[in-house]
Amino acid sequence: MVYNKSRIGRQMNAPRILAAVFILLTPPAVFAQSERARDLGIVIGRFSPGPLDAVTDVKGVKVGHVTLVSGEGRLAPGKGPVRTGVTVILPAEGDLWESKVFAGSFVLNGNGEATGLMWLQESGILETPIALTNTLSVGAAQQGLVEWMLKSHPGVGVSDDTLTPVALECDDGALNDIRGRHVKPEHVLQAIDGAAAGPVAEGGVGAGTGMISYEFKGGIGTASRALPKDSGGYTLGVLVNANHGSRATLRIKGAPVGEEIQDLLPESHHDGSIVVIVATDAPLDARQLSRLSKRAMLGLARTGAVAYHGSGDVAIAFSTANRIPHYPKERTLRLEVLSDFHMDDLFEAAAEATEEAVVNALLAAKTTVGRDGNTAYALPHDRLKQLLRKYRVVAQ
Amino acid sequence: MVYNKSRIGRQMNAPRILAAVFILLTPPAVFAQSERARDLGIVIGRFSPGPLDAVTDVKGVKVGHVTLVSGEGRLAPGKGPVRTGVTVILPAEGDLWESKVFAGSFVLNGNGEATGLMWLQESGILETPIALTNTLSVGAAQQGLVEWMLKSHPGVGVSDDTLTPVALECDDGALNDIRGRHVKPEHVLQAIDGAAAGPVAEGGVGAGTGMISYEFKGGIGTASRALPKDSGGYTLGVLVNANHGSRATLRIKGAPVGEEIQDLLPESHHDGSIVVIVATDAPLDARQLSRLSKRAMLGLARTGAVAYHGSGDVAIAFSTANRIPHYPKERTLRLEVLSDFHMDDLFEAAAEATEEAVVNALLAAKTTVGRDGNTAYALPHDRLKQLLRKYRVVAQ
Amino acid sequence: MVYNKSRIGRQMNAPRILAAVFILLTPPAVFAQSERARDLGIVIGRFSPGPLDAVTDVKGVKVGHVTLVSGEGRLAPGKGPVRTGVTVILPAEGDLWESKVFAGSFVLNGNGEATGLMWLQESGILETPIALTNTLSVGAAQQGLVEWMLKSHPGVGVSDDTLTPVALECDDGALNDIRGRHVKPEHVLQAIDGAAAGPVAEGGVGAGTGMISYEFKGGIGTASRALPKDSGGYTLGVLVNANHGSRATLRIKGAPVGEEIQDLLPESHHDGSIVVIVATDAPLDARQLSRLSKRAMLGLARTGAVAYHGSGDVAIAFSTANRIPHYPKERTLRLEVLSDFHMDDLFEAAAEATEEAVVNALLAAKTTVGRDGNTAYALPHDRLKQLLRKYRVVAQ
Amino acid sequence: MVYNKSRIGRQMNAPRILAAVFILLTPPAVFAQSERARDLGIVIGRFSPGPLDAVTDVKGVKVGHVTLVSGEGRLAPGKGPVRTGVTVILPAEGDLWESKVFAGSFVLNGNGEATGLMWLQESGILETPIALTNTLSVGAAQQGLVEWMLKSHPGVGVSDDTLTPVALECDDGALNDIRGRHVKPEHVLQAIDGAAAGPVAEGGVGAGTGMISYEFKGGIGTASRALPKDSGGYTLGVLVNANHGSRATLRIKGAPVGEEIQDLLPESHHDGSIVVIVATDAPLDARQLSRLSKRAMLGLARTGAVAYHGSGDVAIAFSTANRIPHYPKERTLRLEVLSDFHMDDLFEAAAEATEEAVVNALLAAKTTVGRDGNTAYALPHDRLKQLLRKYRVVAQ
């Protein structure tokens, strides 16, 4: 078996300790960023990215990953190998419970799980961090969020309301011993503790560790757009956990990459999913953020996504602009909200950034050998560069 | 403090073992049924109930409760007292994963949590048992369902898809030390193991243990309707976990019981919720079952429910008539589905049975002293009987 | 055939002019108000009505009716008899196109038509009057609204956007020659021109002319609630066009009126519908107004509605508090919006006012003989009064 | 002003009769098909089209256009010039009222009008032809459908239910004197009478007459996919009325055509819309057809659509496989329905056909001079061919 030597591949030569899962608490900035879309000349859309081209360009947004990797080869289900993790998004500065943000959502295809979504849709608010993980661990991730919230909010469930935090998932069972449910609530707490602003590690980290996208190795990707002053000067960032798509349909800035690269397929492949988190400092309310979520999915479609039956394709969008007090002192809130007539540039930015974030996920992910030797290959940068020239995405 | 000596009240005189939670695995038929709505002459609607006047009148439906009660008085949060539990509904005979049922839903107000709902809505199917519990334990209940499914389905997550089971909750934090998260995944397995057809224990059992409804003690209630032959001869059953409502609005078959009984109020009261599970053997598809779910909520409204902001009012309906294979051998399914033109009697039956199930929950629940001595009083049967005569619900 | 001599009954003795439809442009205040719910001691809920107990208690709301009545007996379809009309609601003072209001909606059952609803749901705004009429005339009513808007807005469709106004319907085909489509666009213009604040004519007027509700004569009904100062002091008003329900399920403040009055049934009866318009000066946004719309339907349920398959049960709610400029000069809007934590009293008020508005519709409607001699009987006030005493809705 | 001599352009040199609108009842097969996507080598996706590469490849589907063109130059609003029309889709053989088809829908952005949609969503059926026209004429189109249905169904509104037919719109006000509301109900009847199977005229015909898409002349486009036997052998066809998009975002099979052709812009341009009608003979039910509708919009996204605030982007899908009787003799329907596990190829086909139908609309449309001399330019085939070579959509 020949594959690119990857971070995860190398770890599999380390002594295997089956019982104890090796935890990588990944400080985002540690990663030497590999080539991203713009490094390769893939310039998507007409708006420019923010300084980091990441969801963390939206002030106050923090991202944390806990990466769980251990074991290799064919082990009894429940014993490994482990290729999974947790990614958390902290939407805004301060205590989100006491000072909530508006949020909206769109379910393109619902073969997935999203705790907390019913309340987000009803109330239009987000009041906890968001946790991403694998399908069979979404209950553990939800519990981790509960645990973290209870620690910092002693009144919850006594003198205060209870809570329904937001946890989402994709199925990493092709690479990961998902039956082992190796993600524990404490991993969420670790991910929150390690969450930071700044560059975001992409590819096979955190919840992206075991993901497969377009039958390449997928995972976490991010991108952002900074609207010009005369479009409001707002920033919008996207983070995806890409685990979706069939090879044939993959397009990168229009180039039919999936038709061109028909090898490097995984031996085994579950139907996938994608979670898209959109953050913005534009002053949108809940209805507008649900509208925005739909446009993220239009950007996804440009990469070739068809939203297969077995895919859980969910977008959640939030705005850091208005903060909603938990128990408002006043009966009414004074809000500054964008006019719907001025949403088009944000719509376009959401589509652009999502398209780019998916490409970034593919570019960052390294070939990964997982459960039973199943291998997900990285999108080969050299061949992609050739295709980008062939299809004039970049100058020849 | 004077209150009716109740089952739960008596248990509090037993030696207290704080660390170990005392578990009541409640075989439904053990309970001597207390007076139910029809025993008091409260005949709601024009259709007759099935033999048990319970959700289990729908052939194949099983219900199991695990009741967790321990401790009393003012304890440190997390240490008790425990007044909570788990209720499971097994929708149909056989392996639900291999042979699924159609399902639909309606969210009247979304201040709650329902795992698995996104997939239920997308696919129109139900493929796991349903678990009910308290708000902060919904992650544990979801994990319990996952655990149970993995045990019986070794291919899941390896050669087979993963799963997103259906767990719902209401907040029992006024009576229960909800922060203690005393419900564990194994309680779901115990409830499933103990699930049975036959009479269903009502009131403060299982997930209903700590519930408060219309500021009386609430909890589990059930009722059913057996349609006459010329309406198709179908059976429809409802199970509720009633934790909702403010006293003033309570009406029992139109009688303004809430206006009349203004005492017996709990000292402390969280905003509530109600879960309504509708089962039927009528051959409805997913779209029709979502329509049916709405009518359950109309029955709820007749008891006075306003669906307050802080309430999670969710109905899920399923039909046992068509069974959907997990991986169908044939490309197409041959279904027999009710014509929409013949749904009106089922609509009415769903409203009737829900209205009656809420009343049954109130009638079965016993006065309960919980966390910090908070007390939820039982609806007093004697005073209710007087009111039923006064308002001519029964003959004077 | 014995029936109460009614306004419409008497008109049938007038000379019949088949070709020309006799138009009643009804100035609302002309009607000597017949007995309304509160006149009979039917006091629904805990909040008090506004001065008029009508939707027009919300400042700025105007209502106009055009009533079309002509012909009698068995005529060729398309030739009459005519028992139909138009009712318009003008939501707010000033030019609604230039200064829009927030709006939301809820479809309890969708066997109906509502033009403009897709845009209302997307944008969260209402920018035209609302017109109600019969099912086969909803296109004409929509055109009437377009006509009126074009007259007053010369830029529309040239330098300005086009429009999609809100027209709703119920089926009056049991009494009215609905195939004749006797409502013309100009009737909408007349209704708008005649719209006024002040008391609202109820029963068989305007769009209510041919309606049947609970198998009694139905039609227009209205009610309002004025919240106390410590609930915000807001006013909420409801107008219904009641054309729904089967007799057996009718309850008036809990009294089983439908079970008690089993005679006075119409010979012929189409499946019905109900439109509920909720107006408020509480500063709600679109999401909140959709939530409010659901609660109107809970009030409807308390009267016994089951939302049959053949019924179009639609609620639209709007708020006059924030006005949204058509082309805002500023990029952002400054809004004052009610906190969701303070919506419960409004929820309850919406349910109460809707319940009362349905009763008012039934009380105001007079026995009406329509197409082919089909007769819809008025709810007999004397028998109702007896039942109200029997069931202790009023003191004996 | 230089533009390609087009059919419509030439007509403007004909004697102008302002009062009488010149009606083109377009027999679809009359049109010499201009170059379509496949003629230019634009092969979208992996499935092959049906024989006509048109919605009419689905057996039973008929399309009819009435094209209204008259006047030129600057006329008083209401007097012309007229550049509008009606397109009707007859979904299936036989009497659709007596023998309905399943249908579903998806609203990507709701700045539009769709009569009949509420009932389609509730019932999951389509029981009338679908009519497309301009925004201010949607009421007239709806009335035309009512008129046609009443003629053929004398019981409707008397012994039978009433109806709520499906009419949709896009705004052609940039080219057409939309205020003049030149479409009359009889045009719908003419379009239905002229509807035929076989090739479908595309571009500026019928409802497409005045449409602008990606700031080129747009209008009607169609395409189809014939799935291979091992995907079920089903046929799926799409018809669009393309009136949406901004130039910069246009991509044709990935080639950034909009970035490359920045001239040929219309002087004036209203925000647009797109209607997508998906027909299939695959046995899908209503829920599945709504899922399918979403995938049509993913195909739209691949052409660059962002679904701007001012756009009404609506997809309706129907299946001719199961026919639902109006008043079923039996209580239950026996249906053969595709398993959801076999929908992926249909999902992909819907995306592919929609992407291609939009391209076909652009290719077929001719440069059109309309109201006040506003000109929408045709996508220039020669320049497009160069770009297709440059971006390797076709071999160099």
Side-chain angles (χ1 to χ4, degrees):
Chain A
M1 187 170 48
V2 177
Y3 54 87
N4 295 335
K5 285 291 178 192
S6 72
R7 183 178 59 80
I8 286 164
R10 278 195 303 273
Q11 281 163 358
M12 296 195 308
N13 298 322
R16 283 162 256 153
I17 305 163
L18 281 182
V21 173
F22 185 72
I23 300 168
L24 290 176
L25 180 53
T26 315
V30 163
F31 278 79
Q33 292 287 339
S34 73
E35 290 170 318
R36 305 181 75 204
R38 287 182 181 257
D39 299 325
L40 271 60
I42 305 168
V43 175
I44 289 172
R46 60 190 182 91
F47 293 116
S48 301
L52 301 167
D53 200 6
V55 70
T56 42
D57 283 326
V58 178
K59 191 171 156 15
V61 175
K62 295 192 184 76
V63 175
H65 298 299
V66 164
T67 305
L68 304 179
V69 175
S70 72
E72 67 177 81
R74 187 172 299 273
L75 304 172
K79 299 294 185 184
V82 178
R83 303 285 183 277
T84 194
V86 171
T87 294
V88 298
I89 298 96
L90 276 60
E93 298 287 356
D95 184 335
L96 204 62
W97 180 253
E98 295 298 334
S99 177
K100 307 165 196 293
V101 293
F102 283 131
S105 66
F106 174 61
V107 178
L108 175 62
N109 195 58
N111 197 334
E113 178 65 86
T115 72
L117 193 59
M118 185 164 76
W119 175 226
L120 186 154
Q121 290 168 337
E122 181 76 40
S123 67
I125 59 163
L126 178 63
E127 55 192 8
T128 71
I130 298 169
L132 315 182
T133 190
N134 75 59
T135 311
L136 294 184
S137 296
V138 70
Q142 196 261 10
Q143 287 183 304
L145 290 170
V146 166
E147 181 74 26
W148 186 79
M149 291 292 291
L150 292 188
K151 279 190 183 182
S152 49
H153 298 88
V156 164
V158 181
S159 56
D160 196 354
D161 293 328
T162 55
L163 57 96
T164 55
V166 178
L168 302 109
E169 54 67 50
C170 303
D171 175 10
D172 57 16
L175 293 176
N176 177 48
D177 169 35
I178 193 170
R179 288 180 66 94
R181 286 159 289 159
H182 301 283
V183 173
K184 306 297 174 196
E186 57 262 34
H187 297 138
V188 173
L189 280 76
Q190 292 165 6
I192 294 176
D193 288 344
V200 174
E202 295 175 302
V205 292
T209 302
M211 299 297 156
I212 295 176
S213 181
Y214 292 112
E215 303 179 63
F216 285 120
K217 182 70 189 72
I220 302 294
T222 190
S224 74
R225 290 296 180 268
L227 294 191
K229 263 278 163 343
D230 63 1
S231 296
Y234 306 120
T235 297
L236 177 149
V238 168
L239 180 144
V240 302
N241 193 18
N243 191 44
H244 70 289
S246 70
R247 177 67 59 81
T249 65
L250 174 61
R251 305 175 184 196
I252 293 187
K253 208 190 166 186
V257 174
E259 291 175 19
E260 291 274 5
I261 308 181
Q262 300 192 4
D263 56 336
L264 300 179
L265 292 166
E267 297 91 351
S268 154
H269 180 40
H270 289 202
D271 261 344
S273 291
I274 184 166
V275 174
V276 182
I277 307 296
V278 184
T280 185
D281 58 10
L284 304 183
D285 69 13
R287 180 182 54 77
Q288 294 172 325
L289 288 159
S290 290
R291 301 183 77 193
L292 193 69
S293 301
K294 279 188 178 173
R295 275 63 185 189
M297 291 315 201
L298 299 183
L300 176 68
R302 292 182 191 166
T303 68
V306 177
Y308 292 119
H309 170 66
S311 197
D313 302 341
V314 183
I316 289 179
F318 62 85
S319 161
T320 60
N322 285 288
R323 300 299 290 268
I324 316 302
H326 182 49
Y327 287 124
K329 284 179 198 159
E330 309 278 326
R331 186 181 306 277
T332 57
L333 310 171
R334 283 168 200 281
L335 306 172
E336 185 179 352
V337 175
L338 194 72
S339 160
D340 280 74
F341 282 95
H342 292 282
M343 289 193 68
D344 283 348
D345 289 344
L346 285 165
F347 285 171
E348 212 159 317
E352 289 183 6
T354 304
E355 184 179 358
E356 186 170 330
V358 171
V359 177
N360 280 337
L362 292 169
L363 287 171
K366 305 290 186 293
T367 295
T368 301
V369 186
R371 174 173 67 78
D372 300 343
N374 289 337
T375 302
Y377 294 93
L379 170 63
H381 288 211
D382 50 349
R383 291 169 68 180
L384 174 61
K385 287 174 191 173
Q386 284 183 314
L387 293 172
L388 295 176
R389 284 191 296 271
K390 175 176 172 186
Y391 289 99
R392 298 292 294 264
V393 174
V394 298
Q396 281 178 302
Chain B
M1 185 170 50
V2 178
Y3 54 88
N4 296 335
K5 283 293 179 193
S6 73
R7 182 179 62 79
I8 286 164
R10 278 195 302 274
Q11 281 164 358
M12 296 195 308
N13 298 324
R16 281 162 257 153
I17 305 162
L18 280 183
V21 173
F22 186 70
I23 300 168
L24 290 177
L25 180 52
T26 316
V30 162
F31 279 79
Q33 293 287 338
S34 72
E35 290 170 318
R36 305 181 76 206
R38 285 179 184 260
D39 300 323
L40 271 59
I42 304 168
V43 175
I44 288 171
R46 59 192 183 90
F47 293 116
S48 300
L52 300 168
D53 199 7
V55 70
T56 43
D57 283 325
V58 178
K59 191 172 155 15
V61 175
K62 295 192 186 75
V63 175
H65 297 299
V66 164
T67 304
L68 304 178
V69 174
S70 73
E72 67 177 79
R74 187 172 299 273
L75 305 172
K79 299 294 185 183
V82 178
R83 302 285 183 276
T84 193
V86 172
T87 293
V88 297
I89 297 97
L90 276 58
E93 299 285 357
D95 185 334
L96 203 64
W97 181 253
E98 295 298 334
S99 178
K100 307 165 196 294
V101 294
F102 282 131
S105 66
F106 174 60
V107 178
L108 175 62
N109 196 57
N111 197 335
E113 178 65 86
T115 72
L117 192 60
M118 185 165 75
W119 176 227
L120 186 154
Q121 290 168 337
E122 181 76 40
S123 67
I125 59 164
L126 178 64
E127 55 191 8
T128 71
I130 297 169
L132 315 182
T133 190
N134 74 59
T135 311
L136 294 183
S137 296
V138 70
Q142 196 262 9
Q143 286 183 304
L145 290 169
V146 167
E147 180 75 26
W148 186 79
M149 292 292 292
L150 291 188
K151 280 191 181 180
S152 50
H153 297 88
V156 164
V158 181
S159 55
D160 196 356
D161 292 329
T162 55
L163 58 95
T164 54
V166 178
L168 301 109
E169 53 68 50
C170 302
D171 174 10
D172 57 15
L175 293 176
N176 177 47
D177 169 34
I178 193 170
R179 288 180 67 94
R181 286 160 289 160
H182 301 283
V183 173
K184 305 297 174 197
E186 56 262 33
H187 296 139
V188 172
L189 279 78
Q190 293 166 6
I192 294 176
D193 289 344
V200 174
E202 295 175 301
V205 292
T209 303
M211 299 297 155
I212 296 176
S213 182
Y214 292 111
E215 303 179 62
F216 285 120
K217 182 70 189 74
I220 301 295
T222 190
S224 75
R225 290 296 181 270
L227 294 190
K229 263 277 163 341
D230 63 2
S231 296
Y234 305 119
T235 297
L236 177 149
V238 168
L239 181 142
V240 301
N241 194 18
N243 192 43
H244 70 290
S246 71
R247 177 66 60 81
T249 65
L250 174 62
R251 304 175 185 196
I252 292 185
K253 207 189 168 189
V257 174
E259 290 174 19
E260 291 274 6
I261 308 182
Q262 300 193 4
D263 56 336
L264 301 178
L265 292 167
E267 297 91 351
S268 155
H269 179 40
H270 288 202
D271 261 343
S273 291
I274 184 165
V275 174
V276 182
I277 307 296
V278 184
T280 185
D281 57 12
L284 304 184
D285 69 11
R287 179 183 53 77
Q288 294 172 325
L289 287 159
S290 290
R291 300 182 78 194
L292 193 68
S293 302
K294 278 187 180 172
R295 276 63 185 188
M297 290 316 200
L298 299 183
L300 176 67
R302 293 182 191 165
T303 67
V306 176
Y308 291 119
H309 170 66
S311 196
D313 301 341
V314 183
I316 289 179
F318 61 86
S319 160
T320 60
N322 286 288
R323 299 299 289 267
I324 316 303
H326 181 49
Y327 287 124
K329 284 179 197 158
E330 310 279 326
R331 187 181 305 280
T332 57
L333 309 171
R334 283 168 200 282
L335 305 173
E336 185 179 353
V337 176
L338 193 72
S339 160
D340 280 74
F341 282 95
H342 292 282
M343 289 193 68
D344 283 347
D345 288 345
L346 285 164
F347 284 171
E348 213 159 317
E352 288 183 6
T354 304
E355 185 179 358
E356 185 170 330
V358 171
V359 177
N360 281 336
L362 292 170
L363 287 172
K366 305 290 186 293
T367 295
T368 301
V369 185
R371 173 173 67 78
D372 300 344
N374 288 337
T375 302
Y377 294 93
L379 171 62
H381 288 212
D382 49 350
R383 290 169 69 180
L384 175 62
K385 288 174 189 172
Q386 284 183 314
L387 292 172
L388 296 175
R389 284 192 296 272
K390 174 176 174 186
Y391 288 98
R392 298 292 295 264
V393 174
V394 298
Q396 280 178 303
Chain C
M1 186 169 50
V2 178
Y3 55 88
N4 297 334
K5 285 290 179 195
S6 73
R7 182 179 60 80
I8 286 164
R10 278 195 303 275
Q11 280 163 0
M12 295 193 310
N13 298 324
R16 281 164 257 153
I17 307 164
L18 281 181
V21 173
F22 185 71
I23 299 168
L24 290 176
L25 180 52
T26 316
V30 163
F31 279 78
Q33 292 288 338
S34 73
E35 290 170 318
R36 306 181 75 205
R38 285 179 184 259
D39 299 324
L40 270 61
I42 304 168
V43 175
I44 289 172
R46 61 191 181 91
F47 293 115
S48 300
L52 300 167
D53 200 6
V55 70
T56 42
D57 283 326
V58 178
K59 191 171 157 10
V61 175
K62 296 193 184 74
V63 176
H65 298 300
V66 164
T67 305
L68 304 178
V69 174
S70 73
E72 67 178 81
R74 186 172 299 273
L75 305 173
K79 299 293 185 186
V82 178
R83 303 285 183 276
T84 194
V86 171
T87 294
V88 297
I89 298 96
L90 277 59
E93 299 286 357
D95 184 335
L96 203 63
W97 181 254
E98 295 297 335
S99 178
K100 306 165 197 295
V101 294
F102 283 130
S105 66
F106 175 60
V107 178
L108 175 62
N109 196 57
N111 198 333
E113 179 65 86
T115 72
L117 192 59
M118 186 165 73
W119 175 227
L120 185 153
Q121 290 168 337
E122 181 76 39
S123 67
I125 59 164
L126 178 63
E127 55 192 7
T128 71
I130 298 169
L132 315 182
T133 189
N134 74 59
T135 312
L136 294 183
S137 297
V138 70
Q142 196 261 8
Q143 287 183 303
L145 290 170
V146 167
E147 181 74 26
W148 186 79
M149 291 293 291
L150 291 188
K151 280 191 182 180
S152 49
H153 298 88
V156 164
V158 181
S159 55
D160 196 355
D161 294 328
T162 54
L163 58 96
T164 54
V166 178
L168 301 109
E169 55 66 51
C170 305
D171 174 10
D172 58 16
L175 293 176
N176 177 47
D177 169 34
I178 192 170
R179 288 180 66 93
R181 286 159 290 160
H182 301 283
V183 173
K184 304 298 174 197
E186 56 262 33
H187 297 138
V188 172
L189 280 77
Q190 292 166 6
I192 293 176
D193 288 344
V200 174
E202 296 175 301
V205 292
T209 303
M211 300 298 155
I212 296 177
S213 182
Y214 292 111
E215 303 179 64
F216 286 119
K217 180 72 189 72
I220 302 295
T222 190
S224 75
R225 290 294 180 271
L227 294 191
K229 262 279 162 343
D230 63 1
S231 295
Y234 305 120
T235 298
L236 178 148
V238 168
L239 180 143
V240 302
N241 193 18
N243 192 43
H244 71 290
S246 71
R247 176 67 60 82
T249 64
L250 173 62
R251 306 175 183 195
I252 292 186
K253 206 190 168 186
V257 174
E259 291 175 19
E260 291 274 4
I261 308 182
Q262 300 193 5
D263 57 336
L264 301 179
L265 292 167
E267 297 91 351
S268 154
H269 179 40
H270 288 202
D271 261 343
S273 291
I274 185 165
V275 175
V276 182
I277 308 296
V278 184
T280 186
D281 57 10
L284 304 184
D285 70 12
R287 180 182 54 78
Q288 294 172 324
L289 288 159
S290 290
R291 301 183 77 194
L292 193 69
S293 300
K294 280 188 178 172
R295 275 63 186 188
M297 291 315 201
L298 299 183
L300 176 67
R302 292 182 192 165
T303 67
V306 176
Y308 291 120
H309 170 66
S311 197
D313 302 341
V314 183
I316 289 178
F318 61 85
S319 161
T320 60
N322 286 289
R323 300 300 289 267
I324 316 302
H326 182 49
Y327 287 125
K329 283 178 198 159
E330 309 279 327
R331 186 180 306 279
T332 57
L333 309 171
R334 282 169 200 281
L335 305 173
E336 187 180 351
V337 175
L338 194 71
S339 160
D340 280 74
F341 282 95
H342 292 283
M343 290 192 67
D344 283 348
D345 288 344
L346 285 163
F347 284 171
E348 212 159 318
E352 289 182 7
T354 303
E355 184 178 357
E356 185 170 331
V358 171
V359 177
N360 281 337
L362 293 169
L363 287 171
K366 305 290 185 291
T367 296
T368 300
V369 185
R371 174 173 68 78
D372 300 343
N374 289 338
T375 303
Y377 295 93
L379 170 62
H381 287 211
D382 49 350
R383 290 170 67 181
L384 175 62
K385 288 173 190 173
Q386 282 182 315
L387 292 172
L388 295 176
R389 283 191 297 270
K390 174 176 173 186
Y391 289 99
R392 298 292 294 265
V393 173
V394 298
Q396 280 178 304
Chain D
M1 186 168 50
V2 178
Y3 54 89
N4 297 334
K5 284 290 177 194
S6 73
R7 182 180 60 81
I8 286 164
R10 278 195 304 274
Q11 281 164 357
M12 297 194 310
N13 298 324
R16 281 163 256 154
I17 305 163
L18 280 184
V21 172
F22 185 69
I23 300 169
L24 291 176
L25 179 52
T26 316
V30 163
F31 279 78
Q33 292 288 338
S34 73
E35 291 170 318
R36 305 181 76 207
R38 285 178 185 260
D39 299 324
L40 271 60
I42 304 168
V43 176
I44 288 171
R46 60 191 183 90
F47 294 116
S48 300
L52 300 168
D53 199 7
V55 70
T56 43
D57 282 325
V58 178
K59 193 171 155 12
V61 175
K62 295 191 185 76
V63 175
H65 297 300
V66 164
T67 305
L68 304 178
V69 174
S70 74
E72 68 177 80
R74 187 172 299 273
L75 304 173
K79 299 295 185 183
V82 178
R83 303 285 184 279
T84 194
V86 172
T87 294
V88 297
I89 298 97
L90 277 58
E93 299 285 358
D95 184 336
L96 203 64
W97 181 253
E98 296 298 335
S99 178
K100 306 166 197 295
V101 294
F102 283 130
S105 66
F106 175 60
V107 178
L108 175 62
N109 196 58
N111 198 333
E113 179 64 87
T115 73
L117 192 60
M118 187 165 73
W119 175 226
L120 186 154
Q121 290 168 336
E122 181 76 40
S123 67
I125 61 164
L126 178 64
E127 56 192 6
T128 71
I130 298 169
L132 315 182
T133 190
N134 75 58
T135 312
L136 294 184
S137 296
V138 70
Q142 195 261 10
Q143 287 183 304
L145 290 169
V146 166
E147 180 73 27
W148 186 79
M149 291 293 291
L150 291 187
K151 281 191 179 179
S152 50
H153 298 88
V156 164
V158 181
S159 55
D160 196 355
D161 293 328
T162 55
L163 58 96
T164 54
V166 178
L168 301 109
E169 53 68 49
C170 303
D171 174 11
D172 58 15
L175 293 175
N176 177 48
D177 169 34
I178 193 169
R179 288 181 66 95
R181 285 159 289 159
H182 301 282
V183 173
K184 305 296 175 197
E186 56 263 33
H187 296 139
V188 172
L189 280 77
Q190 293 166 8
I192 294 176
D193 288 344
V200 174
E202 295 175 302
V205 292
T209 303
M211 299 298 156
I212 295 177
S213 182
Y214 293 111
E215 302 179 65
F216 285 120
K217 182 69 189 73
I220 302 295
T222 190
S224 75
R225 290 295 180 270
L227 294 190
K229 262 278 162 345
D230 63 1
S231 295
Y234 306 118
T235 298
L236 177 148
V238 168
L239 181 143
V240 302
N241 194 18
N243 192 44
H244 70 289
S246 71
R247 177 66 61 82
T249 65
L250 174 62
R251 305 175 183 196
I252 293 186
K253 207 190 167 187
V257 174
E259 290 175 19
E260 291 274 4
I261 308 182
Q262 299 193 4
D263 57 335
L264 301 178
L265 292 166
E267 296 91 352
S268 155
H269 179 40
H270 288 202
D271 261 343
S273 290
I274 184 164
V275 174
V276 182
I277 308 295
V278 184
T280 185
D281 57 11
L284 304 183
D285 70 11
R287 180 182 53 79
Q288 294 172 325
L289 288 159
S290 290
R291 299 184 78 194
L292 193 69
S293 302
K294 279 188 179 172
R295 275 65 185 187
M297 291 316 201
L298 299 183
L300 175 68
R302 292 182 192 165
T303 67
V306 177
Y308 292 119
H309 170 66
S311 198
D313 301 342
V314 183
I316 289 179
F318 61 85
S319 161
T320 60
N322 286 289
R323 300 298 290 266
I324 316 303
H326 182 48
Y327 287 124
K329 284 178 198 159
E330 309 279 327
R331 186 181 305 278
T332 58
L333 309 171
R334 282 170 200 281
L335 305 173
E336 186 179 352
V337 175
L338 194 71
S339 159
D340 280 74
F341 283 95
H342 292 281
M343 290 193 67
D344 283 347
D345 288 344
L346 285 164
F347 284 171
E348 212 159 319
E352 289 183 6
T354 303
E355 184 179 357
E356 186 170 331
V358 171
V359 177
N360 280 337
L362 292 170
L363 287 171
K366 305 290 184 293
T367 295
T368 301
V369 185
R371 173 173 68 78
D372 300 344
N374 289 338
T375 303
Y377 295 93
L379 170 62
H381 288 211
D382 49 350
R383 290 169 68 180
L384 175 61
K385 288 173 191 172
Q386 283 184 314
L387 292 172
L388 295 176
R389 284 192 297 273
K390 174 177 173 186
Y391 289 99
R392 297 291 295 264
V393 174
V394 298
Q396 281 178 303

